[in-house]
């Protein structure tokens, strides 16, 4: 069966989403940062996280597309490109996540259809797909500005207009600040403070998806953005200083010309 993690927006309005589906044939459970929706007719579980990610268990692909449309009215800053990570899950003797050797698929094995275990694993899956969205956003900004150091090396200056430099600085600042403000979603969820028996399944998921080392790499990329921001800021200050120097020189020349005119008279 399918298990898919999606990141579609900056955040979801979980309360409004819960109220919308209370009147329909769904079972609703709203926690502080996650909404669990299950169907009374089919063995399906969906977990919507406040940071704009959700994980579906047991849906078919066409049903997932339907939910993607349903989510739009409750989404803040929908992503232009939806991130998705696909898994398969099955029932077995013990809970595990492994790569299927034959089909090269990530396989989740559950020992029962316990929604609490699914939720614990979903926390890890949702963090991973949110992290992937962060990684893609940073990589795009870095790629767009990768030529700036080379530009300075070859020409001594950045070959962009003052207005373009300020736009680049704005883009970099927005990328850095949006990730810094949302980095709390990559920490240990409060849910496991009260449900420590489920924490091992969350840790297992984080380890399989290599989340800790990816967070370290993300912070390193943020440092690169900070360096790019410093380069652009230095260039703006240099141009401003050069402009002031030129104004002073022109004023001095004007004063000399005026003095010469008065002296000749």
């Amino acid at each position: 069966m399918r298990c898919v993690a999606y990141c579609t927006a900056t955040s979801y309005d979980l309360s409004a989403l819960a109220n919308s589906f209370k009147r329909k044939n769904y079972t609703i459970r709203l926690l502080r940062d996650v909404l669990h929706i299950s169907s009374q007719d089919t063995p399906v579980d969906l977990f919507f996280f406040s940071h704009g990610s959700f994980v579906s268990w047991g849906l078919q692909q066409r049903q997932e597309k339907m939910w993607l449309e349903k989510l739009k009215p409750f989404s803040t800053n929908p992503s232009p490109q939806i991130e998705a990570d696909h898994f398969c899950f099955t029932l077995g003797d013990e809970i595990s996540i492994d790569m299927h050797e034959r089909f090269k698929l990530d396989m989740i094995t559950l020992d029962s259809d316990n929604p609490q275990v699914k939720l614990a694993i979903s926390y890890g899956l949702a963090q991973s797909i949110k992290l992937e969205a962060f990684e893609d956003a940073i990589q795009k900004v870095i790629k767009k500005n990768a030529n700036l150091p080379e530009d300075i090396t070859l020409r001594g200056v950045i070959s962009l207009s003052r207005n373009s430099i300020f736009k680049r600085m704005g883009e970099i600042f927005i990328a850095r600040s949006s990730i810094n403000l949302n980095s709390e979603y990559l920490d240990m969820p409060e849910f496991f403070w009260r449900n420590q028996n489920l924490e091992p399944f969350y840790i297992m998921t984080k380890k399989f998806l290599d989340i800790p080392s990816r967070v370290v790499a993300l912070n390193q990329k943020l440092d690169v953005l900070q360096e790019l921001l410093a380069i652009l800021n230095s260039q703006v200050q240099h141009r401003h200083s050069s402009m002031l120097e030129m104004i002073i020189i022109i004023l001095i020349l004007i004063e000399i010309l005026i003095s010469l005119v008065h002296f000749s008279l």
Side-chain angles (χ1 to χ4, degrees), residues 21-241:
F21 287 94
K22 275 182 180 177
R23 298 183 294 272
K24 300 176 183 179
N25 195 29
Y26 294 99
T27 300
I28 307 295
R29 185 188 178 206
L30 179 61
L31 302 178
R32 180 179 177 273
D33 59 349
V34 61
L35 171 66
H36 177 205
I37 296 180
S38 56
S39 173
Q40 299 175 5
D41 302 325
T42 56
V44 169
D45 291 283
L46 296 101
F47 299 97
F48 298 90
F49 295 86
S50 58
H51 56 67
S53 302
F54 79 95
V55 181
S56 66
W57 296 77
L59 289 182
Q60 298 177 5
Q61 188 173 8
R62 59 176 179 81
Q63 293 173 312
E64 291 166 9
K65 291 181 178 179
M66 178 187 68
W67 276 98
L68 288 172
E69 289 298 319
K70 288 181 179 180
L71 266 178
K72 289 181 179 180
F74 309 100
S75 301
T76 303
N77 296 328
S79 304
Q81 178 179 344
I82 295 175
E83 303 287 348
D85 202 358
H86 297 77
F87 302 83
C88 289
F89 75 97
T90 186
L91 295 179
D93 296 330
E94 61 180 17
I95 300 171
S96 64
I97 304 179
D98 294 294
M99 171 72 76
H100 194 289
E101 295 182 359
R102 182 178 176 184
F103 299 107
K104 302 301 180 184
L105 293 172
D106 293 332
M107 180 68 67
I108 301 172
T109 303
L110 305 174
D111 61 357
S112 67
D113 197 36
N114 186 345
Q116 289 288 86
V117 174
K118 288 182 178 179
L119 174 57
I121 294 175
S122 294
Y123 266 109
L125 300 181
Q127 282 187 345
S128 177
I129 198 63
K130 189 68 176 181
L131 182 57
E132 188 171 329
F134 288 159
E135 290 167 341
D136 288 349
I138 287 183
Q139 194 58 42
K140 287 178 181 177
V141 177
I142 290 177
K143 185 177 180 180
K144 183 176 181 179
N145 296 281
N147 65 316
L148 296 182
E150 183 180 354
D151 220 14
I152 293 177
T153 301
L154 294 176
R155 301 181 178 87
V157 293
I158 296 175
S159 56
L160 292 173
S161 67
R162 181 183 174 87
N163 191 43
S164 297
I165 290 177
F166 277 121
K167 284 183 179 179
R168 294 285 182 95
M169 291 175 68
E171 291 171 1
I172 294 173
F173 180 78
I174 289 172
R176 287 185 69 254
S177 61
S178 64
I179 292 170
N180 286 330
L181 290 173
N182 292 286
S183 60
E184 63 181 272
Y185 299 129
L186 303 178
D187 297 333
M188 173 73 74
E190 291 183 11
F191 173 79
F192 298 105
W193 299 356
R194 302 181 301 274
N195 300 273
Q196 295 184 3
N197 60 311
L198 297 171
E199 186 177 339
F201 308 127
Y202 165 71
I203 293 175
M204 173 191 70
T205 307
K206 284 185 65 175
K207 184 177 180 181
F208 177 79
L209 296 171
D210 203 23
I211 291 178
S213 62
R214 288 167 61 195
V215 169
V216 172
L218 181 70
N219 288 327
Q220 291 173 345
K221 290 181 179 180
L222 285 173
D223 291 340
V224 172
L225 289 187
Q226 179 61 36
E227 292 173 3
L228 287 171
L229 192 60
I231 289 172
L232 290 171
N233 188 49
S234 174
Q235 182 69 17
V236 169
Q237 291 179 353
H238 173 71
R239 289 188 180 182
H240 183 66
S241 299

